[in-house]
Amino acid sequence: QVQLVESGGGLVQAGGSLRLSCAASTRTFSRYTMGWFRQAPGKEREFVATIRWNGIGTYYADSVKGRFTISRDNAKNTVYLQMNSLKPEDTAVYYCAARWDGGAALYYIGIHDYDYWGQGTQVTVSS
């Protein structure tokens, strides 16, 4: 069982930045693919970004490409999401997710691809 705890959310003005963190409670963190998803009020949860176990392979949703950066520190069992040039439409609850790295796909962007989820952290971007 992997427990994930997100932090770093908050209220920011449009154009501002936030960095989200997700701490994982597993000694084998380096063997997991990690992802960030978000869910706005009244909308379905959607993929934001993912990073492979080695931190080299990353993939982003088109809506955040060029503005958000996912990274990880395997020594600290933590994955990050640096969010720059934030827009009001980025307002959502952001969730961290994990899955054992492996399988045929190069990247995993579906909700059902992930086995473990955090409780989420609220990000609100004011216009």
Side-chain angles (χ1 to χ4, degrees):
Q1 192 76 5
V2 178
Q3 292 186 334
L4 304 172
V5 179
E6 302 97 335
S7 62
L11 174 64
V12 63
Q13 289 187 334
S17 298
L18 282 175
R19 188 175 83 153
L20 305 183
S21 300
C22 172
S25 66
T26 174
R27 295 180 179 178
T28 56
F29 176 73
S30 64
R31 299 298 303 275
Y32 284 82
T33 282
M34 302 299 296
W36 285 98
F37 290 75
R38 66 187 182 185
Q39 188 167 16
K43 295 188 177 181
E44 295 185 350
R45 193 170 299 189
E46 65 176 7
F47 168 77
V48 174
T50 185
I51 187 167
R52 297 297 300 271
W53 69 273
N54 57 9
I56 296 176
T58 59
Y59 187 79
Y60 298 89
D62 287 343
S63 59
V64 307
K65 201 173 296 183
R67 300 187 298 121
F68 291 9
T69 302
I70 188 171
S71 62
R72 66 190 296 160
D73 185 338
N74 286 344
K76 295 183 178 180
N77 287 6
T78 301
V79 63
Y80 304 97
L81 185 68
Q82 177 67 44
M83 305 186 295
N84 298 329
S85 301
L86 283 161
K87 305 175 181 179
E89 51 263 44
D90 294 319
T91 295
V93 177
Y94 283 71
Y95 297 91
C96 173
R99 61 161 285 136
W100 188 259
D101 195 289
L106 183 59
Y107 297 112
Y108 293 93
I109 65 172
I111 294 172
H112 300 292
D113 290 330
Y114 290 81
D115 303 308
Y116 304 100
W117 293 84
Q119 293 300 305
T121 185
Q122 176 70 47
V123 172
T124 303
V125 184
S126 63
S127 57

